[in-house]
């Protein structure tokens, strides 16, 4: 935070610092084949709890009249970690074992308390609103501002979520991609899910700079 000019709104300053550092760590994971020292702890202790706050905001925001019956059934089907498909290949099993070991270590150290159902706090709802704004801005990031290090230099093909079900899927994908990276899995630059996750933090950084009138 000492390197960032303060806006006067501490939460927004923290979000801007978080998205920028997270994007830098994702860059390092691609370029160097892994996270630098302290990178996994940063993602686990700061980035992922922020995404959990976004998820809490989503649960607090969702109402029966915000989606049709089919969407609500889909959203209910997403509840519970048991919906994650089991690993089938050697690399997937190794990644799952690494993720489980990281979860166990964080829980044992007290750095990752067991998740609990709770009502959404005002800042959870603000975090959700910010995430929705970023997802809407993502396909509109000018091509010359795209920093993804592989493939097409555009996010125009990454459509904004069109309803609660698509929003839930995108938020879950963000968490999944960050956990994979934090657990030591080398990102695949051609993986569309990782590209969407990277694009989220890239767009959030760009949007924050614009919101506070800063140069890139």
């Amino acid at each position: 935070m000492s390197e960032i000019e303060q806006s006067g709104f501490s939460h927004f300053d923290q979000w801007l610092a978080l998205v920028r550092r997270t994007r830098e760590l994702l860059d390092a994971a691609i370029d160097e084949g892994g996270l630098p020292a302290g990178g996994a702890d940063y993602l686990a202790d700061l980035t992922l709890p922020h995404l959990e706050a976004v998820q809490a905001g989503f649960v607090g925001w969702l109402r029966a009249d915000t989606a049709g019956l089919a969407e609500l059934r889909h959203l209910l089907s997403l509840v519970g970690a048991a919906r994650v498909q089991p690993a089938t290949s050697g690399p997937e099993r190794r990644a799952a074992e690494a993720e489980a070991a990281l979860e166990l270590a964080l829980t044992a150290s007290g750095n990752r308390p067991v998740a609990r159902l709770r009502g959404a706090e005002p800042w959870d709802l603000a975090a959700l609103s910010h995430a929705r704004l970023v997802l809407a801005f993502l396909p509109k990031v000018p091509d010359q501002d795209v920093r993804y290090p592989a493939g097409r230099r555009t996010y125009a093909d990454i459509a904004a979520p069109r309803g609660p079900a698509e929003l839930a899927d995108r938020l879950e994908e963000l968490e999944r991609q960050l956990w994979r990276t934090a657990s030591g899995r080398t990102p695949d630059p051609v993986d569309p899910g990782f590209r969407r996750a990277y694009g989220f933090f890239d767009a959030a950084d760009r949007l924050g700079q614009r919101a506070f009138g800063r140069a890139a």
Side-chain angles (χ1 to χ4, degrees):
M1 290 299 298
S2 62
E3 298 178 358
I4 296 180
E5 179 184 355
Q6 300 297 297
S7 69
F9 298 92
S10 62
H11 276 82
F12 296 120
D13 286 324
Q14 291 166 16
W15 290 351
L16 181 56
L18 182 145
V19 298
R20 177 173 298 172
R21 181 55 180 158
T22 299
R23 182 192 59 77
E24 291 171 349
L25 290 172
L26 296 180
D27 273 328
I30 294 174
D31 295 340
E32 302 168 16
L35 293 168
D41 288 339
Y42 188 94
L43 295 182
D45 295 343
L46 294 173
T47 308
L48 282 160
H50 174 72
L51 293 179
E52 290 168 0
V54 174
Q55 291 277 20
F58 175 79
V59 173
W61 164 79
L62 190 64
R63 296 292 184 273
D65 58 357
T66 60
L69 181 59
E71 273 195 300
L72 288 174
R73 284 175 175 167
H74 173 70
L75 291 168
L76 288 173
S77 75
L78 298 177
V79 175
R83 298 295 177 181
V84 178
Q85 296 297 316
T88 56
S89 66
E92 287 180 349
R93 283 192 290 270
R94 288 192 293 272
E97 290 170 359
E99 290 172 11
L102 179 61
E103 286 270 15
L104 183 62
L106 290 172
T107 301
S109 66
N111 290 328
R112 184 170 178 78
V114 177
R116 299 179 179 87
L117 290 175
R118 61 181 178 85
E121 300 292 337
W123 277 108
D124 295 340
L125 296 171
L128 171 66
S129 295
H130 175 257
R132 293 177 66 194
L133 180 61
V134 171
L135 290 168
F137 175 65
L138 176 55
K140 301 177 183 178
V141 174
D143 290 354
Q144 66 270 20
D145 289 343
V146 170
R147 290 177 284 201
Y148 194 67
R152 299 176 61 198
R153 294 285 179 156
T154 182
Y155 296 134
D157 58 309
I158 304 178
R162 291 170 293 183
E166 288 190 7
L167 177 58
D169 287 342
R170 291 285 289 277
L171 296 178
E172 190 276 333
E173 180 181 66
L174 269 174
E175 284 194 289
R176 184 172 65 252
Q177 291 293 336
L178 266 291
W179 263 117
R180 287 178 176 177
T181 305
S183 65
R185 184 169 180 174
T186 301
D188 182 355
V190 301
D191 178 4
F194 180 79
R195 179 169 169 264
R196 286 189 290 268
Y198 181 102
F200 175 86
F201 291 100
D202 194 6
D205 190 11
R206 294 294 187 187
L207 184 63
Q209 292 168 356
R210 290 186 176 192
F212 295 125
R214 297 172 181 148

